[in-house]
Amino acid sequence: FSDSTFILNPMEHLTALFTSGKVNQVKPEAARMISDPNYAFYNFEQAFDKTAYNLLKGNRLEESFFVFSMNAEFFPERARVWNGMGAVYAKQGELQKAREAYQKAIEIDPEGEEGEKARRKLQEF
């Protein structure tokens, strides 16, 4: 394998773009890498999820929302992604949007773990 444009650590690269103020380049660059078969080994959904939850725990709501919403755009069929969106909406005080996101997680995973997590969160409201 030889490719001078290959990025060994995609999340580090995307984080560097974000933190250097090149936010408008993050989503297109992520989309490029997600669709590139050379990155098939990399779990972008999981990396975005972990990053977004870390930002949320640090109360960095704007940054967390950016990453969660990007994850939802790229992986809309994943219940965990919608649970993340629900979490950030709830923390922002947007309870109706949080409910909608949790409901979407339930629709995607009605019998699974993520669907159950979403049900528990909805009961907290």
Side-chain angles (χ1 to χ4, degrees):
F1 178 77
S2 177
D3 182 353
S4 62
T5 63
F6 183 78
I7 296 162
L8 190 57
N9 187 332
M11 202 62 211
E12 185 177 284
H13 171 68
L14 295 172
T15 300
L17 287 174
F18 188 89
T19 57
S20 68
K22 298 176 183 174
V23 178
N24 61 336
Q25 293 178 21
V26 174
K27 193 184 295 186
E29 183 67 356
R32 179 191 71 76
M33 287 190 288
I34 289 168
S35 66
D36 185 335
N38 289 324
Y39 294 96
F41 71 93
Y42 194 80
N43 189 334
F44 284 93
E45 177 198 353
Q46 186 178 44
F48 291 152
D49 190 68
K50 181 179 178 182
T51 299
Y53 271 108
N54 285 338
L55 290 165
L56 186 62
K57 287 176 189 172
N59 219 26
R60 296 175 63 185
L61 300 183
E62 187 176 325
E63 294 96 332
S64 178
F65 180 79
F66 177 83
V67 179
F68 274 129
S69 62
M70 190 169 56
N71 213 13
E73 183 177 326
F74 292 133
F75 305 102
E77 74 288 352
R78 305 286 174 81
R80 183 165 171 80
V81 167
W82 293 102
N83 275 336
M85 287 296 295
V88 76
Y89 279 134
K91 195 134 185 185
Q92 290 174 328
E94 297 189 46
L95 299 184
Q96 183 56 39
K97 288 182 180 181
R99 283 185 190 96
E100 292 168 8
Y102 288 131
Q103 194 59 47
K104 181 122 177 131
I106 293 167
E107 290 169 16
I108 293 169
D109 189 24
E111 304 299 322
E113 182 181 337
E114 292 300 324
E116 184 54 36
K117 285 180 188 176
R119 276 192 221 37
R120 285 194 305 267
K121 288 295 185 180
L122 285 172
Q123 289 174 353
E124 292 175 12
F125 292 147

